């Protein structure tokens, strides 16, 4: 029954292949496979070459046997005898010379009777005679001068044998002597034949010698090719060893390592190196981002804990003081309760800000904005910010202009008015808290470059570039640069501004420099 191997056999072959791959290196397997294929190719080609050469040698021997047998039949004169055994002795040397002239090596010549029995041996074999089959007149005629191979009597080398009847047609003109025989004598001779045999010892010896030499040459070739292949495979796999070295360095924690340019980008090694380097770039960037996120989270937790602890310790201190009887007067109790109320309100604002940031972060990740979007105009928010600033610091000059100056213009957007109002409120509170009293502030509103713009510019101390980069980080306060007052917040106002504007598909920009004030620009998509 034909078909694929049994599942058990396939499983065994698979396990054997895995053991081989696990035991030898890639270089060793490549070299072994190459040498194995070369051995198979050499053995197959050599076997085919030897078989063809042996066939040619045997064919040449057969031709010489056929020529010798034909010549022997022509030289034999049986016109005056009734039996081949009575052939004149004077013909024997001539016949032997003819056979030896055409044949080399051990040969055999004899006459056979009509019944196939040997009647006379003209040239005996030197070592072992051939074991002739029954070659009567019918068998000789049936073979029609085709040689056959027979074993030796003592089991030695085989022999090639050809039998020819004594009336073999001879070359020459039709009236040549011996061309035709007539009469009773010719009829008697027709039943006799001559057999010529030659040993295959010389042919087999030549084949064995050729095979031995070819094996020696093949062994030398395999040894040289194996040595050359070892260096060739080693050189060819050198780029993979460099990749292995780079991978080991990366595994040890060196994410800055990169695979060198091993080959052109169109080759397999070039594409592999480019893919690995691209993967390493992403891994390094991801690792750096993860480390930065972890650092921000650590700083956030530390800052949040500090901000939450301050009002809680104030509340706890006043309650403990009250419990120990340190507030005998009603005025002391009222003052303490006022302080507790302010700290509690501060704590509530801080918690609400943190919850808002958490909701915005979660909504941004889920692409689900918790906003009630309606058409509105930023001029309303600019007017509210103007009133907030005058209420917080009545002595502060506040002006309402367009973006960068000029008359204010419309700023139609699609937004959550309550959340955007929180944005302007935080910006106004930031300007009051981080600039000296009486510092002029300008509020600009309008459109610019296809976007609705709401900006707030103060002429305070400004910020450095590094401080401006971190201005939207949570709990970050540029106290030295912005002259933070005692009423300053926890450092979440600008972080909330950035998150709310981002939730409206907009962005916040800072334009600032030391001693040149700061401008916060809210850019939102226009709504038409």
């Amino acid at each position: 029954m034909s078909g694929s191997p049994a599942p058990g056999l396939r499983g065994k072959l698979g396990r054997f292949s895995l053991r081989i791959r696990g035991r030898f290196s890639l270089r060793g397997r490549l070299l072994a496979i190459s040498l194995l294929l070369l051995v198979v190719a050499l053995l197959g080609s050599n076997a085919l070459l030897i078989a063809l050469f042996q066939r040619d040698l045997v064919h040449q021997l057969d031709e010489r046997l056929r020529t010798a047998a034909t010549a022997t039949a022509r030289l034999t004169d049986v016109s005056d005898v009734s039996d081949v055994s009575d052939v004149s002795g004077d013909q024997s040397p001539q016949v032997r010379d003819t056979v030896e002239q055409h044949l080399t090596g051990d040969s055999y010549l004899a006459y056979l009777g009509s019944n196939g029995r040997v009647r006379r041996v003209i040239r005996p074999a030197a070592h072992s005679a051939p074991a002739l089959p029954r070659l009567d007149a019918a068998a000789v005629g049936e073979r029609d001068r085709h040689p056959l191979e027979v074993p030796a009597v003592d089991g030695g080398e085989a022999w090639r044998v050809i039998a020819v009847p004594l009336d073999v047609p001879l070359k020459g003109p039709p009236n040549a002597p011996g061309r035709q025989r007539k009469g009773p004598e010719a009829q008697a001779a027709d039943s006799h034949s001559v057999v010529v045999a030659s040993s295959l010892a010389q042919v087999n010896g030549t084949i064995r010698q050729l095979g031995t030499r070819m094996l020696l040459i093949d062994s030398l070739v395999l040894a040289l090719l194996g040595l050359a292949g070892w260096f060739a495979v080693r050189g060819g796999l050198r780029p993979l060893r460099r990749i292995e070295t780079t991978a080991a360095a990366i595994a040890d924690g060196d994410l800055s390592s990169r695979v060198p340019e091993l080959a052109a980008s169109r080759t397999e090694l070039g594409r592999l190196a480019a893919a690995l380097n691209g993967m390493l770039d992403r891994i390094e960037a991801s690792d750096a981002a993860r480390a930065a996120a972890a650092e921000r989270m650590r700083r956030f937790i530390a800052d949040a804990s500090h901000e939450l602890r301050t009002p809680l310790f104030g509340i706890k201190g006043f309650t403990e003081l009250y419990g120990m009887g340190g507030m005998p007067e009603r005025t002391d109790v009222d003052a303490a309760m006022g302080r507790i109320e302010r700290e509690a309100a501060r704590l509530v604002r801080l918690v609400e800000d943190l919850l808002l940031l958490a909701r915005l972060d979660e909504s941004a990740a889920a692409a689900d904005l918790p906003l009630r979007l309606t058409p509105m105009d930023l001029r309303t928010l600019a007017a509210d910010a103007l009133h907030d600033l005058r209420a917080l610091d009545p002595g502060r000059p506040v002006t309402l202009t367009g973006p960068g100056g000029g008359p204010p213009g419309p700023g139609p957007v699609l937004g959550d008015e309550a959340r955007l109002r929180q944005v302007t409120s935080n910006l106004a509170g930031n300007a009051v808290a981080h600039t000296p009293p009486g510092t002029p502030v300008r509020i600009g509103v309008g459109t610019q470059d296809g976007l609705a713009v709401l900006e707030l510019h103060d002429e305070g101390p400004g910020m450095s570039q590094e401080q401006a980069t971190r201005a939207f980080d949570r709990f970050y306060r540029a106290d030295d640069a912005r002259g933070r007052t005692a009423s300053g917040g926890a450092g979440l106002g600008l972080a909330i501004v950035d998150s709310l504007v981002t939730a409206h598909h907009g962005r916040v920009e800072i334009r600032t420099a030391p001693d040149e004030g700061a401008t916060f620009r809210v850019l939102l998509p226009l709504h038409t």
Side-chain angles (χ1 to χ4, degrees):
M1 180 182 296
S2 61
S4 60
L9 179 58
R10 289 199 299 268
K12 292 179 180 178
L13 291 176
R15 289 192 295 270
F16 177 75
S17 177
L18 288 176
R19 286 197 299 270
I20 292 298
R21 289 198 297 267
R23 186 171 300 176
F24 297 100
S25 64
L26 177 61
R27 179 171 51 193
R29 294 201 301 271
L30 286 176
L31 186 61
I33 292 173
S34 301
L35 289 179
L36 180 60
L37 293 176
L38 185 59
V39 167
V40 172
L42 286 176
L43 291 180
S45 60
N46 290 346
L48 179 61
L49 179 62
I50 290 175
L52 293 175
F53 187 61
Q54 185 179 21
R55 188 190 65 176
D56 291 341
L57 290 179
V58 173
H59 179 70
Q60 294 175 8
L61 180 60
D62 291 343
E63 289 296 328
R64 292 197 299 270
L65 280 174
R66 189 175 291 107
T67 301
T70 303
T72 301
R74 291 176 59 187
L75 291 174
T76 302
D77 185 6
V78 294
S79 59
D80 297 330
V81 296
S82 60
D83 197 336
V84 178
S85 59
D86 295 332
V87 176
S88 173
D90 295 337
Q91 294 177 346
S92 297
Q94 186 178 5
V95 171
R96 285 195 298 269
D97 292 341
T98 301
V99 173
E100 292 173 356
Q101 181 180 0
H102 291 87
L103 300 178
T104 59
D106 197 3
S107 57
Y108 176 85
L109 174 62
Y111 291 111
L112 304 179
S114 58
N115 57 1
R117 295 179 58 186
V118 178
R119 307 306 298 270
R120 183 179 180 185
V121 177
I122 303 300
R123 189 184 188 287
H127 298 91
S128 176
L132 297 175
R134 182 178 180 83
L135 295 174
D136 54 12
V140 172
E142 183 179 356
R143 295 209 59 84
D144 191 22
R145 295 185 299 167
H146 290 288
L148 70 156
E149 186 171 327
V150 299
V153 175
D154 59 355
E157 298 286 352
W159 290 71
R160 297 291 291 183
V161 177
I162 186 170
V164 178
L166 289 182
D167 62 338
V168 174
L170 303 178
K171 295 181 181 180
N175 57 356
R179 177 66 179 174
Q180 294 179 351
R181 298 191 181 99
K182 298 180 180 181
E185 294 83 4
Q187 295 176 0
D190 288 344
S191 62
H192 297 84
S193 60
V194 61
V195 61
V196 181
S198 181
S199 175
L200 289 174
Q202 190 173 9
V203 173
N204 294 338
T206 302
I207 294 300
R208 284 192 294 269
Q209 186 178 17
L210 177 62
T212 302
R213 291 179 178 178
M214 295 183 73
L215 285 177
L216 292 176
I217 295 174
D218 290 347
S219 300
L220 180 61
V221 169
L222 286 175
L224 294 177
L225 290 180
L227 183 61
W230 173 263
F231 288 104
V233 172
R234 184 178 181 182
L237 295 181
R238 186 176 293 111
L240 293 181
R241 290 200 300 273
R242 297 179 67 179
I243 294 177
E244 178 186 1
T245 303
T246 304
I250 295 169
D252 292 336
D254 184 11
L255 294 179
S256 62
S257 297
R258 292 295 181 272
V259 178
E261 294 294 334
L262 302 172
S265 59
R266 64 178 181 275
T267 62
E268 292 82 357
L269 281 176
R271 291 194 295 269
L272 176 61
L276 288 177
N277 287 334
M279 180 185 67
L280 291 174
D281 290 338
R282 289 191 293 271
I283 291 176
E284 187 177 15
S286 176
D287 186 74
R290 185 166 51 252
E295 176 62 23
R296 288 196 300 270
M297 179 60 67
R298 184 197 62 78
R299 189 169 61 248
F300 173 80
I301 293 174
D303 293 340
S305 301
H306 175 73
E307 295 295 335
L308 291 172
R309 182 176 59 184
T310 301
L312 287 175
F313 278 1
I315 295 172
K316 184 175 181 294
F318 283 114
T319 57
E320 289 179 350
L321 183 61
Y322 176 79
M324 291 186 297
M327 300 178 185
E329 302 295 332
R330 179 65 184 178
T331 56
D332 297 331
V333 174
D334 292 340
M337 293 303 296
R339 292 289 301 274
I340 290 175
E341 183 179 4
R342 287 193 297 273
E343 294 296 336
R346 178 182 174 187
L347 187 62
V348 169
R349 288 195 302 272
L350 182 60
V351 171
E352 287 179 349
D353 289 344
L354 291 175
L355 289 176
L356 175 60
L357 289 172
R359 290 180 61 195
L360 290 172
D361 290 343
E362 181 180 358
S363 300
D368 182 17
L369 303 180
L371 303 175
R372 296 180 179 180
L373 302 178
T374 57
M376 57 175 297
D377 198 318
L378 292 182
R379 287 180 295 185
T380 303
L381 301 181
D384 291 342
L386 177 67
H387 294 307
D388 290 343
L389 284 168
R390 289 177 176 174
L392 292 172
D393 188 0
R396 184 183 298 267
V398 183
T399 58
L400 182 62
T401 67
V413 297
L414 187 65
D416 188 325
E417 185 173 356
R419 294 304 184 188
L420 290 180
R421 194 179 301 277
Q422 189 175 2
V423 168
T424 58
S425 176
N426 285 351
L427 290 177
N430 182 76
V432 172
H434 297 288
T435 58
T439 302
V441 175
R442 180 181 60 83
I443 301 173
V445 63
T447 59
Q448 193 174 53
D449 299 330
L451 295 173
V453 181
L454 175 64
E455 64 181 15
L456 192 147
H457 171 74
D458 66 68
E459 299 181 6
M463 293 182 291
S464 66
Q465 186 62 38
E466 180 183 358
Q467 292 167 340
T469 303
R470 297 187 56 194
F472 297 107
D473 291 350
R474 299 171 187 182
F475 296 107
Y476 176 74
R477 294 183 294 264
D479 295 338
D480 296 337
R482 300 288 288 167
R484 182 185 178 214
T485 64
S487 61
L492 295 176
L494 291 181
I496 292 175
V497 168
D498 183 60
S499 296
L500 287 175
V501 173
T502 302
H504 284 81
H505 305 288
R507 68 179 188 274
V508 183
E509 295 179 349
I510 301 179
R511 297 178 181 179
T512 183
D515 301 325
E516 295 184 6
T519 301
F520 291 86
R521 293 169 53 89
V522 176
L523 306 175
L524 295 173
L526 280 174
H527 176 66
T528 58

